[in-house]
Amino acid sequence: MKPDDPSISWVEPPELGLAGKSYLPLFVQGLTTTVRHLFSPKKTVEYPEQDHEIPDPIIYRGVHRLNRDEQGRVKCVACFLCATACPAHCIDIVAAESPWPDREKYPQTFTIDELRCIFCGMCEEACPVDAIELTSLYNLSGKSREEMIFDKEKLLSIYDQTCQAEPSRTQRSDS
Amino acid sequence: MIALMIETLVKFAVVVGGLMTAAAYLVLLERWIAAWVQDRRGPNRVGVPLTNIKLFGLGQPLADGVKFIFKADVTPRHVDRVLYWLAPAVVMAAALCAFAVIPFGSVLPDFLPADWGVEEPIRLTVVPALDVAVLFVFAVGGAAVFGVLLGGWASNNKYSFLGSLRSSAQLISYELPLGLGILGVAAAAGSLHFNEIIARQADSGWWNIFVQPLGFVVFIVAAFAEASRLPFDLSEAEQELVGGYHTEYSGVKLMMLLVGEYLHMITAAFLIVIFFLGGWHFWGLTDGVDSPGGDVVAWPAALARVAVLMAKVLLVILFFMLTRWSWPRFRYDQLMNLAWKVMLPWGVLNIVVVAAAIEFAGRWAAAWGISPAAATALAGWVALALAVVLTAWADPTTADNRPLRIPPALRGSSDET
């Protein structure tokens, strides 16, 4: 392609003007910006002593929980939609005949491998009965791999722990 | 003789100990400033070792040092071993040598018993008697380039080599404006002795920055380039060259190279303060018994001189560190254009103005009805304004080096798009 090819559009840098070429306004501008930030409030948080402020806990994607219904039973109907939607294959459900008359199946075991989970929230999206939800708990840690595989009791206990601060979706839509 | 040796050794210990501590804590300060400017908090955890006392992170330099010392000191197989080991030593030695003649205060009043044989008053410089101190500092500063050059060459690595090539070309180019900046100061003081240069500024009360603003601008820009600080840190531009000349270094040798760089910055700050910001002088605070810049001082003034000098140096270093986050790095051709097409002519203009002022200031003063110093200052500021406007108008740093030029037929048509 030649320089005088009509398909080339030539763009010149903008004129700086006398002030710009003398570099002085830019000099002052740069220094004032730096000094202003030197004394501005800090954005970072001293984490272990001070917790992060989560702007909206409802949409935050932290540790999972299994919701309970009004009678305290697990809400899950063992439909496997979450396990199917999960891109990391971290949900393992064993379904069994439901002891209750309002549904056919219930999860005999429900385990999530929190180490494989990528916290994408697809399970929450897929669930037809709003049984699985992501909470705003972010400081998830453990001393062994086994400890990080959460079973049904653990997931239900997370619901008990967080249901006051973060009501489940069905409860929210009621209000 | 023995007394002189002991005196020198004591001063030597004070200077080296002080410098190493200062370099360590300046690293912390630099990290703090970097963090604060970016709205972060910076290192604030490490305090007293083995306790929970945090002390705002003041233990960080110790942790940094321990980390560097216990890191694996890798000597890659492809390096030139002798030069590779020599380079950090050269950098460090050159950086420390400069402080042999740089004053860290003025004088102390007589306080030792006369039969000790120490010549009083004691000057707060390791080698106070050297009359060509300014030349010495520049000679040693020039030797520091060797360390950078050796490090880059011996590493046998293209990044290192490019870094050291850039660095040596940059340092050699900026030696000229640096020297021209000093020439005006030396001419005005009539001496190459640091104490004399400060004493002249103290006696008149006119610091050189007020009298020779053009020289100050030239010198401070050149000093930034000599210390390889942003916006002139082309030699270790991380985005392009990994680490520049110290890419292949690790452990203690890397620490020596980095400390050497900090020492350069401290040297540059000292030189800026001594040449242009009046050294240890502050009006009314540091006056000697006979004259403001005299050698006969009482204890309060003697201590005030040390404190004022250190405070000024710290302020200049703070400016160095803020600069790092204020302006982007120059491109290499811009850097060279700035040295040769802007700073060099400015330096020459400064010398002409200073020389004219030395000769004619008395006459100007009589004609305009002001003091000679004020007349010199007026000439200096007019020269600075003239230089800035002329440079902006002539715009010597903009060079269109694109391989393709706009064809004349299409020139100017871009306004429509």
Side-chain angles (χ1 to χ4, degrees):
Chain A
M1 193 178 275
K2 294 210 170 113
D4 55 353
D5 192 294
S7 64
I8 300 178
S9 93
W10 288 88
V11 179
E12 287 286 286
E15 265 312 296
L16 276 175
L18 206 60
K21 281 176 186 168
S22 74
Y23 202 63
L24 282 176
L26 298 168
F27 177 89
V28 175
Q29 209 180 344
L31 198 61
T32 43
T33 306
T34 327
V35 172
R36 199 177 61 238
H37 277 277
L38 199 59
F39 301 106
S40 66
K42 306 302 168 213
K43 297 275 161 52
T44 45
V45 169
E46 300 212 39
Y47 165 57
E49 293 90 20
Q50 190 187 347
D51 275 337
H52 289 278
E53 256 183 49
I54 292 167
D56 187 357
I58 302 296
I59 60 170
Y60 192 86
R61 302 203 300 261
V63 184
H64 314 74
R65 71 181 183 192
L66 270 182
N67 290 343
R68 294 179 192 272
D69 61 9
E70 296 77 31
Q71 299 164 43
R73 304 173 306 181
V74 62
K75 247 183 174 181
C76 177
V77 294
C79 67
F80 287 79
L81 277 180
C82 55
T84 312
C86 181
H89 303 302
C90 65
I91 304 178
D92 185 66
I93 307 170
V94 174
E97 185 102 6
S98 165
W100 310 304
D102 58 345
R103 62 185 100 159
E104 287 176 17
K105 292 194 292 179
Y106 91 112
Q108 194 173 33
T109 67
F110 192 110
T111 47
I112 298 181
D113 188 345
E114 298 285 350
L115 292 179
R116 291 193 69 158
C117 177
I118 58 170
F119 299 96
C120 63
M122 298 279 231
C123 47
E124 189 178 14
E125 295 280 327
C127 187
V129 293
D130 293 331
I132 185 168
E133 277 181 348
L134 297 182
T135 64
S136 68
L137 300 182
Y138 55 85
N139 41 7
L140 174 69
S141 62
K143 292 199 172 75
S144 66
R145 286 174 183 277
E146 290 71 31
E147 206 179 305
M148 299 304 289
I149 297 172
F150 284 13
D151 58 5
K152 193 168 84 179
E153 280 64 42
K154 175 80 179 167
L155 291 166
L156 285 169
S157 75
I158 296 174
Y159 171 76
D160 298 336
Q161 195 184 322
T162 56
C163 62
Q164 291 301 323
E166 299 167 41
S168 70
R169 186 179 290 175
T170 40
Q171 286 162 342
R172 288 203 303 279
S173 56
D174 288 347
S175 59
Chain B
M1 190 62 205
I2 299 282
L4 183 66
M5 275 176 71
I6 292 174
E7 182 198 330
T8 308
L9 278 177
V10 168
K11 287 194 280 197
F12 181 75
V14 169
V15 167
V16 172
L19 274 179
M20 288 301 146
T21 318
Y25 274 92
L26 285 180
V27 174
L28 177 63
L29 183 67
E30 170 124 52
R31 290 174 64 183
W32 272 346
I33 301 249
W36 294 340
V37 166
Q38 296 169 16
D39 293 348
R40 294 184 286 112
R41 280 160 210 269
N44 60 356
R45 299 257 155 189
V46 189
V48 183
L50 305 179
T51 64
N52 226 357
I53 305 163
K54 281 183 187 167
L55 280 178
F56 316 107
L58 285 176
Q60 188 72 40
L62 187 68
D64 285 348
V66 169
K67 186 194 108 179
F68 264 123
I69 289 165
F70 284 102
K71 278 233 168 181
D73 195 353
V74 182
T75 306
R77 217 174 276 175
H78 54 75
V79 301
D80 184 325
R81 278 179 169 271
V82 178
L83 298 184
Y84 182 82
W85 279 74
L86 197 60
V90 170
V91 167
M92 195 75 174
L96 276 179
C97 257
F99 280 91
V101 294
I102 293 180
F104 53 98
S106 175
V107 291
L108 292 181
D110 301 354
F111 68 103
L112 293 175
D115 55 343
W116 284 19
V118 178
E119 193 186 334
E120 301 221 59
I122 294 176
R123 295 193 166 278
L124 293 178
T125 313
V126 177
V127 187
L130 193 63
D131 284 329
V132 287
V134 176
L135 284 186
F136 178 81
V137 167
F138 281 89
V140 177
V145 184
F146 275 103
V148 175
L149 207 56
L150 289 181
W153 176 256
S155 292
N156 198 3
N157 170 320
K158 288 182 180 64
Y159 290 121
S160 303
F161 184 56
L162 277 173
S164 69
L165 269 187
R166 284 182 179 192
S167 187
S168 40
Q170 173 184 336
L171 294 186
I172 288 167
S173 298
Y174 275 91
E175 288 277 328
L176 283 127
L178 200 68
L180 287 175
I182 300 238
L183 214 49
V185 174
S191 169
L192 285 176
H193 207 291
F194 285 119
N195 290 322
E196 194 62 33
I197 289 170
I198 301 174
R200 285 295 295 266
Q201 299 181 62
D203 281 334
S204 66
W206 286 80
W207 299 352
N208 279 330
I209 183 176
F210 305 128
V211 187
Q212 303 178 20
L214 194 56
F216 175 71
V217 173
V218 170
F219 185 78
I220 200 167
V221 169
F224 268 74
E226 285 287 306
S228 287
R229 293 284 304 184
L230 268 157
F232 304 112
D233 70 334
L234 277 295
S235 56
E236 46 200 282
E238 295 89 354
Q239 295 85 348
E240 303 153 24
L241 293 180
V242 190
Y245 68 92
H246 54 62
T247 303
E248 295 282 1
Y249 283 91
S250 55
V252 178
K253 291 205 281 292
L254 177 63
M255 182 171 72
M256 285 171 79
L257 290 172
L258 296 182
V259 169
E261 276 180 13
Y262 265 91
L263 291 180
H264 274 152
M265 187 176 77
I266 302 176
T267 317
F270 263 99
L271 292 182
I272 290 167
V273 168
I274 290 169
F275 288 143
F276 290 97
L277 301 180
W280 40 252
H281 170 255
F282 196 86
W283 305 276
L285 214 61
T286 57
D287 291 351
V289 176
D290 310 326
S291 63
D295 277 346
V296 186
V297 286
W299 272 107
L303 295 178
R305 284 178 176 185
V306 177
V308 166
L309 179 65
M310 293 305 156
K312 282 180 186 173
V313 167
L314 190 64
L315 281 179
V316 172
I317 287 177
L318 275 177
F319 179 67
F320 264 93
M321 289 177 175
L322 280 178
T323 303
R324 179 168 178 184
W325 305 105
S326 299
W327 302 295
R329 182 184 295 130
F330 278 71
R331 214 170 53 205
Y332 204 75
D333 61 318
Q334 293 170 335
L335 175 92
M336 283 298 159
N337 280 334
L338 187 68
W340 294 102
K341 294 182 180 171
V342 179
M343 287 305 151
L344 197 64
W346 282 23
V348 173
L349 178 63
N350 180 54
I351 289 177
V352 171
V353 172
V354 169
I358 291 172
E359 186 64 31
F360 301 118
R363 259 182 262 174
W364 295 342
W368 302 333
I370 46 179
S371 74
T376 315
L378 192 64
W381 284 98
V382 168
L384 177 67
L386 206 66
V388 169
V389 172
L390 269 181
T391 311
W393 173 72
D395 198 16
T397 54
T398 305
D400 192 353
N401 56 357
R402 287 174 292 186
L404 294 178
R405 302 277 170 180
I406 300 184
L410 295 173
R411 196 160 289 168
S413 66
S414 60
D415 298 336
E416 298 152 22
T417 55

